[in-house]
Amino acid sequence: LVPTPPNNTTTFLRGDATFAVPAGGVDPVFGRVVRTAGSLTTTSTTLVDVTGATVTFTTGAFPVRYSAAQSFQQSSSADVGFNVAIDGTLLHGTDGYVINAPTVNTRGASFSGQTAVLTASAHTIKLQFYVSAGTVTLLANTSINHMFAAEEIR
C-alpha cells in the first residue's frame, strides 16, 4: 500500500508512512530591503535607525544571518559607524562596525553577521548608523543602491 499524498507543497511523507508538516515550517523566512532612490542623511553621533532598513519576521528557534551593503559620503573627516539591532539589542557592541573616513569621499561599506539561536517568535531586525562629526549620507539612486537583508538559517 502507498499512502495518498495531500495536494500541497508543505506536507511531506514521514518515515512512518504518514504525511505531516515539518516542525517549524518548511522554508526559512527571509526579508530584504533595497533602496534605489532617496539618499538618507544623519548628523547623529549616536546610532539611529536607517529609515526603511527594517526586517520583521517570525522565526523558529534558529539563528539569523544578516547583511548590509551601502555607499556613503561624509562631509568632514569622521568615523562612520553601522550596527544591527535585533529586538533592540545591538549585535556589534556599542560602536558597531566603524569606518574611519579621514577625507571627504564616497566609500562603500558592506558587512554581514550571524546571531546565536533566536527564540521561536517575531523579531525586528534594524540597520543603524551614525557619524562622529559632520554629516553622513547613505546613497541611494539609480546607479547606487542600498541593501539590507536578513534570513533564518535552518
Side-chain angles (χ1 to χ4, degrees), residues 4 14 16 21-22 39 44 54 60 68 76 82 87 92 100-101 105 112 125 132 138 148 150 153:
T4 302
R14 297 169 14 140
D16 63 1
V21 175
S39 296
S44 179
T54 298
S76 61
F82 297 92
D87 302 329
H92 296 277
N100 179 269
N105 205 342
S112 60
I125 305 166
S132 64
L138 289 184
F148 179 63
I153 302 170

Side-chain angles (χ1 to χ4, degrees), residues 9-91:
T9 59
T10 60
T11 305
F12 295 90
L13 183 62
R14 297 169 14 140
D16 63 1
T18 62
F19 285 92
V21 175
V26 176
D27 296 323
V29 292
F30 176 84
R32 181 176 77 129
V33 177
V34 178
R35 182 183 302 278
T36 59
S39 296
L40 301 172
T41 300
T42 190
T43 58
S44 179
T45 57
T46 59
L47 288 164
V48 294
D49 294 345
V50 174
T51 304
T54 298
V55 174
T56 300
F57 50 52
T58 299
T59 67
F62 300 103
V64 167
R65 179 178 24 247
Y66 53 88
S67 60
Q70 58 262 320
S71 293
F72 68 90
Q73 293 175 334
Q74 83 284 4
S75 66
S76 61
S77 175
D79 290 338
V80 177
F82 297 92
N83 212 328
V84 173
I86 295 187
D87 302 329
T89 300
L90 296 174
L91 299 182

